[in-house]
Amino acid sequence: MRQFLEVKVEVPETHVVIPKEFYEQLLNQELTGQFYTIKDLVNLTGKSESWLYDNLLNNPYRRKDIRKFTHYPKGKGDRWLFKATGLREYLENEFLEILKR
C-alpha cells in the first residue's frame, strides 16, 4: 500500500509557476531574431575561439550541421554570425558529443 505525503509550497507573489514547455517557448521567443557572434559562442560554451574553430566551425562533419543557422565570413571585415535559436538548440543537443571528440 502506497502512502502519499501532501506538501504545500508557498509561491511568493513575485514568482509564478508555469509548465516547463511554456517557459522554453518564452525563451525561444526572446531569442527569435537575435544573432550571436564568435564572442557570444565563447561565452555560451566556455571554450576558446581556437577550440571552437578546430572542433566545430572548421570541422567538416559539424560544419554541414550548423550551416542552416550560420553566416560564414565571406571576406575581410565580414564575421561569423549565428541565429540564436538555432545555435542554442544545436548546442543543447550536440555539445556533449562535440566534447567527446
Side-chain angles (χ1 to χ4, degrees), residues 9 11 14 29 41 70 73-75 83 85 88 90 92 95 97:
V9 178
V11 178
T14 57
Q29 285 176 353
L41 184 54
T70 302
K74 291 183 170 65
K83 285 177 59 177
T85 51
R88 286 272 190 166
Y90 185 76
E92 182 71 28
F95 200 64
E97 274 303 310

Side-chain angles (χ1 to χ4, degrees), residues 13-84:
E13 288 186 28
T14 57
H15 292 69
V16 295
V17 177
I18 59 173
K20 184 177 180 180
E21 184 177 305
F22 182 66
Y23 174 72
E24 289 171 352
Q25 288 174 347
L26 290 174
L27 286 179
N28 281 337
Q29 285 176 353
E30 181 180 310
L31 296 175
T32 299
Q34 298 294 315
F35 288 87
Y36 288 150
T37 64
I38 290 289
K39 188 180 228 181
D40 297 318
L41 184 54
V42 167
N43 290 333
L44 284 170
T45 62
K47 295 295 185 182
S48 68
E49 278 189 44
S50 61
W51 189 94
L52 290 166
Y53 283 115
D54 292 343
N55 295 283
L56 177 63
L57 303 176
N58 291 328
N59 177 316
Y61 175 75
R62 296 289 170 190
R63 198 169 173 139
K64 67 179 180 177
D65 291 340
I66 67 171
R67 75 174 143 223
K68 57 188 159 238
F69 57 83
T70 302
H71 167 75
Y72 301 93
K74 291 183 170 65
K76 192 172 183 173
D78 200 0
R79 61 186 182 156
W80 290 84
L81 288 174
F82 310 92
K83 285 177 59 177

